[in-house]
Amino acid sequence: MTSLSRALTIRLSLLGIVLFTAFIGAVIVFTFVTEDPGALRNDVTSQVIQQSVRSPSGNPLQVDKTAGLTRIERASPQLWYLVSDGRSVVEYAPELRPGLPIDIRLDGPTIAAQMRVGGDNALAFDVIEKDGSRVIVATGGGRPGWDLILGYYLRGIAGSALAISVVFGLLIAAAIAMSVSYIGERLRSAAEAAARIDPRAPRGLLPTEETPVELMPLTTALNGALDQIAKNMEVQQRFMNNVAHELRTPLTVMHGRIDALPNDQMRLALTTDVSRLTTIVSSMLQLARLHSTELPFEPLQLNATARAVLADLAPLILSNGADIALDEEGDRRSLIQANEPTVRAAIANLVDNALRHAQAKSMILVKVIDGAVVEIADDGVGIAPSDRSQVTEPFNRMSPNSTGAGLGLTIVRDIMAAHGGTLTILGRPGGGTLVRLVFPPPE
């Protein structure tokens, strides 16, 4: 997965390196362009000679033939240099040395100084500290290679470049942090807005007022896609609602005509088929209403609701020959924010499912925990772990012999989603299924 922050950090860091390198290159080019060529070459030659000078205590002054100095001597037919510490003098090609422009004793004490003369007789004149002594270095006519000149200037600006690089690095780091923070904040705002979109009505509600221009095409495309999804959902919901409404009347008429049939076997078979069709139509109507309207919530006592549902289902439970028990644990008076009709429908659907898949003389246990959790457990055949993620899909009947519509758990799933709760399907150690509904606690 690509990290936008990481990619931005890498790109800005590379940009900073390129800009800093370009700055150093511009400084060097500017120096080479504006500096007098003769003075520039003599500067470098003087530095090479200064690095070659040794002034041992009590011994004559020495100039070592380093590799750099040897290269300059070979490449510079007009080279001359003079080195003196006031006691001894080392001179190279004295016959080429012009008269010095100032009157300074070459064999006596002097003060620290630096002088550059350009033109045809360019020369460099330096008085430096070397091994505790003042040393005069004068040179002219040197023609060092560009590698020596570049190395000299890079060493010369190393300190300044380091200081500039630190400041520049801090500025780049601050710019990266601010940019990443800004982009992350804008993306978080869009993500929070997307999280607040109601899945039942996914209109294009992503904000565009404060969206950066670079993200505007993505935001606009997502809003358009959400609007189209919402329109398609509305068409589908209207279709389901209309179909369910249109089928209710014919089914009622069919049920009345079936009751008038003289053949008991045929009447029983047709009654079973029509009852299943009626269940499907009723379930489709429930889903259509659930998805087309926003549920009104109010304080609800879950324990009392569960007792009321079981009282309503008592005739159905008795006709199935099943035993059912209600167990209430923890706080029985706590309230949740919920829609009572849909909560009743969810519990009723789960109890009905348990009855449909129960074995002969089975036991169904309904448990309410702390007024916010409902568990319905049966001792039926159970649901395989691999099938539990699919049983809440529409028209998924868990058994070929089931008389249900395959929409009961789908309705329960959507009811819990509308309440911000969870539906969990588990197995029981002794066999059977446990379905747990967890409602969010009141704010």
Side-chain angles (χ1 to χ4, degrees), residues 36-39 41-42 78 80 96 98 117-123 140-143:
D36 181 87
R41 289 192 291 267
N42 287 333
Q78 299 298 317
W80 63 268
L96 298 176
V117 177
D120 296 334
N121 294 317
L123 63 87
R143 302 187 68 84

Side-chain angles (χ1 to χ4, degrees), residues 30-377:
F30 177 79
T31 302
F32 287 169
V33 170
T34 58
E35 188 81 14
D36 181 87
L40 180 63
R41 289 192 291 267
N42 287 333
D43 268 345
V44 177
T45 303
S46 178
Q47 289 292 323
V48 173
I49 295 171
Q50 292 173 30
Q51 293 169 5
S52 304
V53 171
R54 289 194 300 117
S55 180
S57 179
N59 293 316
L61 186 69
Q62 298 178 8
V63 177
D64 294 335
K65 296 293 185 178
T66 61
L69 182 56
T70 302
R71 284 178 57 192
I72 295 175
E73 289 178 352
R74 290 176 179 173
S76 310
Q78 299 298 317
L79 172 68
W80 63 268
Y81 60 82
L82 178 148
V83 181
S84 171
D85 63 357
R87 297 182 301 275
S88 57
V89 177
V90 176
E91 193 166 6
Y92 177 83
E95 69 280 3
L96 298 176
R97 174 170 63 85
L100 296 178
I102 57 175
D103 184 14
I104 295 180
R105 294 181 57 199
L106 300 180
D107 59 351
T110 184
I111 59 174
Q114 184 182 61
M115 184 178 67
R116 298 291 182 268
V117 177
D120 296 334
N121 294 317
L123 63 87
F125 186 92
D126 297 281
V127 181
I128 62 172
E129 291 282 349
K130 194 73 172 181
D131 299 328
S133 301
R134 293 272 175 88
V135 177
I136 297 173
V137 178
T139 183
R143 302 187 68 84
W146 285 108
D147 54 339
L148 290 177
I149 295 175
L150 185 60
Y152 162 71
Y153 268 93
L154 288 177
R155 286 190 298 271
I157 65 174
S160 301
L162 179 61
I164 293 173
S165 65
V166 170
V167 175
F168 196 75
L170 292 175
L171 291 176
I172 289 293
I176 291 173
M178 292 175 64
S179 300
V180 170
S181 175
Y182 175 77
I183 292 176
E185 183 180 351
R186 298 280 79 78
L187 291 177
R188 279 192 299 271
S189 299
E192 291 171 358
R196 290 193 296 268
I197 294 176
D198 187 352
R200 295 168 298 177
R203 292 290 181 186
L205 299 176
L206 296 180
T208 56
E209 294 80 6
E210 298 181 1
T211 302
V213 176
E214 293 78 8
L215 296 179
M216 187 62 74
L218 175 62
T219 303
T220 304
L222 287 176
N223 281 337
L226 290 172
D227 288 339
Q228 188 61 46
I229 291 173
K231 292 178 182 177
N232 293 340
M233 288 177 63
E234 290 175 358
V235 171
Q236 184 185 33
Q237 289 162 11
R238 283 198 302 269
F239 174 76
M240 289 180 61
N241 202 8
N242 292 336
V243 168
H245 274 292
E246 291 296 327
L247 287 176
R248 290 184 72 178
T249 301
L251 285 172
T252 303
V253 174
M254 287 176 62
H255 202 283
R257 291 178 178 176
I258 290 171
D259 289 340
L261 290 175
N263 189 320
D264 293 342
Q265 186 176 0
M266 182 180 296
R267 184 172 62 250
L268 179 61
L270 289 174
T271 299
T272 301
D273 291 339
V274 171
S275 295
R276 184 167 180 269
L277 283 174
T278 303
T279 303
I280 292 175
V281 170
S282 298
S283 299
M284 289 174 63
L285 277 173
Q286 278 187 290
L287 281 174
R289 293 192 189 102
L290 187 63
H291 291 163
S292 61
T293 59
E294 186 171 350
L295 300 179
F297 286 3
E298 59 185 2
L300 178 69
Q301 194 177 68
L302 196 57
N303 295 65
T305 303
R307 288 194 294 267
V309 171
L310 294 183
D312 292 342
L313 295 177
L316 178 63
I317 296 169
L318 293 174
S319 66
N320 278 269
D323 293 329
I324 193 162
L326 174 63
D327 184 11
E328 300 179 70
E329 292 185 2
D331 188 357
R332 300 186 180 187
R333 297 182 177 275
S334 63
L335 300 175
I336 60 173
Q337 290 293 324
N339 176 260
E340 183 178 3
T342 55
V343 172
R344 290 173 66 98
I347 298 174
N349 267 309
L350 293 180
V351 174
D352 182 66
N353 265 348
L355 290 172
R356 290 177 186 275
H357 300 92
Q359 299 177 357
K361 294 185 178 181
S362 63
M363 179 68 183
I364 299 173
L365 176 62
V366 179
K367 182 185 292 186
V368 183
I369 305 171
D370 292 328
V373 178
V374 179
E375 291 182 350
I376 292 90

Side-chain angles (χ1 to χ4, degrees), residues 287 353 387-398 405-414 423 425:
L287 281 174
N353 265 348
D387 296 334
R388 291 172 189 167
S389 61
Q390 303 173 6
V391 295
T392 58
E393 296 301 319
F395 303 105
N396 191 330
R397 299 166 65 194
M398 292 175 283
L407 291 172
L409 286 176
T410 304
I411 293 173
V412 176
R413 179 198 65 186
D414 291 352
L423 163 66
I425 301 175

